[in-house]
Amino acid sequence: MKFSESLKKNSDFQKVYREGKSYANRFLVMYILENGTGSNRVGISVSKKVGNSIVRHRVKRLIKEAYRLHEDMFLNGLDIVVIARISAKKISYWETESALMHLAGLQNILN
């Protein structure tokens, strides 16, 4: 992630969940909250329900890469939390990219 930082603290995730706006599709759920800075902070959450650590890490890498390649299309100053649903277990990169961009379009956060 070139321009973005990672959300790491549980309190940051909780704030985005409480105060943010969410949209979902078949594979992902996305929460958005303005953070008042000039850069985005991105957090990715993949539950144990999705699969074992190998599967969870693969899903997380796919989401991170899809965001990284389209990072310049997103508006700045946002906290973004992406949650993988159980159906994302066997998702391909292209489906991940499509799901992420679909949610970003619903949130109106694309340039």
Side-chain angles (χ1 to χ4, degrees), residues 10-37:
N10 185 34
S11 59
D12 292 339
F13 275 86
Q14 293 302 321
K15 183 177 182 182
V16 175
Y17 293 147
R18 268 194 325 273
E19 301 172 20
K21 189 175 172 188
S22 70
Y23 280 102
N25 60 24
R26 197 168 131 210
F27 299 116
L28 303 173
V29 179
M30 181 185 282
Y31 285 83
I32 299 294
L33 181 66
E34 290 187 19
N35 63 16
T37 66

Side-chain angles (χ1 to χ4, degrees), residues 46-75:
V46 184
S47 166
K48 284 186 177 182
K49 292 178 184 177
V50 174
N52 62 19
S53 64
I54 296 165
V55 173
R56 292 194 311 268
H57 189 65
R58 178 183 170 276
V59 171
K60 195 168 187 174
R61 280 185 286 119
L62 289 174
I63 295 168
K64 189 182 248 184
E65 182 67 3
Y67 175 79
R68 185 187 71 83
L69 291 176
H70 297 287
E71 188 172 28
D72 55 338
M73 295 174 64
F74 284 77
L75 297 176

